[in-house]
Amino acid sequence: MMSFATTGTAPIGVAAAAAPARRVADVIIPLALDTAYSYAVPAGMELLPGAQVRVPFGPRREAIGVVWGLRAGDPGNLKQVIEPAGGPVFSDNLRSFLDWVARWTLAPRGSVLAMALKRPDEERGEVIRVGIRLAGPPPKRMTPARSRVIAAAEGGLLHGKSDLARAAGVSAGVIDGLVDEGTLETCVMPPENLFPPPDPDHAVTQLGPAQEAAARNLREAVAAHDAGAFLLEGVTGSGKTEVYFEAVAETLRAGRQSLILVPEIALTAQFLDRFAQRFGVRPAVWHSGVTGRKREKLYAGLASGEVRVVAGARSALFLPYADLGLIVVDEEHEAAYKQEDGVHYHARDMAVVRGRIDGCPVVLASATPTIETRVNAAQERYRHLILPERYGGRTLPAITAVDLRGAKAGGKSDDKPEGDGWISPPLASAIEEAMARGEQALIFLNRRGYAPLTLCRACGHRYECPNCSAWLVDHRFRRALVCHHCGHVARRPSACEACGTVDALAACGPGVERIAEEVATRFPGKRAITLSSDFPGGTERMRRELADIAAGKCDIVIGTQLVAKGHNFPGMTLVGVIDADIGLSSGDPRAAERTFQLLQQVTGRAGRGEKAGRALVQTYQPEHPVIAALISGDAERFYAQETENRRLAGLPPFGRLASLIISSRQREQAEAHARALARAAHAMDLRDPRLTLLGPAEAPIILIRGRYRYRLLLKSAREFDLQSFIRDWLAGAPKPRGDIRVQVDIDPQSFF
């Protein structure tokens, strides 16, 4: 018999047992950090890339992070992963998308991860739902209330206590009494199905020829897993929603998930109802107002594939979908898709990137697409689907300008509003005519509150926000002066705070509350609803009022831009626009485009039902290209002219912009650091003709929330690697000290 010495080495001819491979996990922590931290993976611990883990982080602290990668290697003295933390595994596609967003926006990867990582509340247990059902003989003492409860509970079904009490018209105490007597019993109800699957064949819509052609293209793209982008452009009321619903239906049939991004999810009850009419149930909804257990279940349901369709705000783009098959960006032109704090990203553009990474089509839908999207379609980066007419052969509203300049300036002497009013005689007459026919009218003014400025007639004092370089807006409904930038609220005084004169405060300019006051005086007895995002009652009140308008329960609607966002009011035949020129005086390079989009959208609320519509636009600049294009209906001419202006100026989409905002509570510190950054940039090679640095300059609103702001603006050719330049620039520039902040915004949308 052969024997071997036990020396700790394998004998010749016998294979040595393979030592377990040592692994290192690179983990991203959801904090404002760009670095992946390396941890040793304990022997025997099973981990996958994308898994959520608990790791030591700093002295006597733990953190939850995501494994960005695993590699073989000697961990040396690295700290170890504590344990897997459960939760969805972030797929390769999702991690690639988050990396892409971080590189593009120049944001730390940890900040981008924080938008995607939603941990459950570990201290909150599962809520047990208790039901009530009939279980025994009637009570010894019968009352009418108890009889109603027993009748409502017939059939042996489980009922929620509040539901049963509501159905019987009794208090919860009556239910409790019947439980005590054994007539009713309590038992645990099965978990509620919060997200029932939509049925793609629930109520198939009859499409018109143009709609069917567009829908066919989208269905084919979904079936082929086509990762291209589509611009679905159609006039207001052309049925764009019904077209992309067909793409959603095709995605459901394929067993994949759909994401529908909407700009104002809290105000889209009408959209959710339309979805339910088509698919039998509402979609799951994701936005900041969804909290607690429902938010956790939705997050888990998307990761498992149980939730098939979600309608969400821009943050829904970062959720861990199991199998994303379609992305729709509704009203793609809306500024609300740009995130203006934290990670500065544009959800429309990031949606196109996510579609490319996940291998699914992206539909950008709008009646008034952005110049950027239209140029991408013209250059065949996006495929262009057009719906040129309203659904059902309905006509677009006839639009007329009301020239407010007066006879001396070329207008009509009788077109100017009378006295202190803001509604012109032609618009007032049109409202009277609509009311006489039993139709609805909308008066639109894109300005919240009662008046944008309050001053003292005695001394000229103007009420300004103490935290911002902005005037306080008079809100009569709230009896307050409010800052629309920081939210500061002050009681509206009866005497001037500067000179003490009583009853000398004057409201300058109109807001929707002032228009509502004029409507009440001019049209007594008419039912009016004023819609503004800052009114008491919040989202639920807004939804009720929008439903009342759609049901014809009011005569006159006074509203801000939220009434322009895709609502369908069948009885509305007249739209009047007050101060149509508000947005044209802005220094924003997109001011003309945004004003045109807003006015086109709001005038499109008229005539969407069976009756023809009309719109009157009050303006001091009837010859302005925006107003002229709106009145003539020649949108193509406006787009062509605005696109050419952008091309000549080298502005997006023909060039690129990046903004740096330097802020501090000390004005001198903010300015000094902005100048230091500019000097550092000029010390680099700025002779490249493709790159221009502008500034530093005071931001148009220099003080916001107590911080002074200076702006540097970089303008470059489209092909220039702007992100690499900024990354190198900031790496070699002086670092912020104290409370100085530097915010980078690639492709800025706001210039205030």
Side-chain angles (χ1 to χ4, degrees), residues 264 267 334 442-450 473 475 484 510-515 529-535 542 546 549 557-567 569 575-578 582 598-599 601-603 605:
E264 297 283 351
L267 302 175
E334 281 287 344
L442 165 65
I443 303 177
F444 171 78
L445 173 61
N446 197 25
R447 188 183 282 137
R448 292 177 288 154
Y450 184 85
V473 178
H475 283 252
H484 287 177
V512 286
E513 294 177 17
R514 196 168 195 176
I515 301 302
I529 289 179
T530 304
L531 294 177
S532 182
S533 58
D534 53 6
F535 276 16
M542 190 75 65
L546 288 170
I549 297 168
V557 181
I558 306 104
T560 60
Q561 64 176 338
L562 65 87
V563 300
K565 298 178 186 289
H567 304 297
F569 305 131
V575 170
V577 179
I578 309 291
I582 287 177
L598 181 59
L599 296 181
Q601 291 279 344
V602 74
T603 55
R605 298 311 104 198

Side-chain angles (χ1 to χ4, degrees), residues 57-62:
F57 190 70
R60 297 181 299 279
R61 182 183 172 191
E62 296 178 359

Side-chain angles (χ1 to χ4, degrees), residues 143 478-479 600 634:
T143 66
R478 297 170 60 181
R479 299 180 181 178
Q600 185 89 316
D634 192 356

Side-chain angles (χ1 to χ4, degrees), residues 612-690:
R614 61 181 297 213
L616 277 71
V617 178
Q618 296 186 177
T619 175
Y620 287 94
Q621 304 179 65
E623 294 88 7
H624 192 285
V626 168
I627 305 300
L630 187 72
I631 302 305
S632 67
D634 192 356
E636 290 303 318
R637 181 177 178 182
F638 169 76
Y639 272 115
Q641 182 177 340
E642 191 68 14
T643 302
E644 180 62 11
N645 291 342
R646 295 271 193 94
R647 188 188 66 79
L648 293 173
L651 293 172
F654 304 99
R656 300 189 59 201
L657 293 176
S659 168
L660 274 70
I661 295 290
I662 300 91
S663 68
S664 170
R665 294 195 176 277
Q666 303 297 320
R667 181 170 183 159
E668 296 77 11
Q669 288 185 5
E671 182 178 10
H673 193 73
R675 293 191 181 280
L677 288 179
R679 286 194 297 270
H682 286 290
M684 300 171 67
D685 188 1
L686 277 181
R687 290 173 294 177
D688 192 321
R690 299 175 300 169

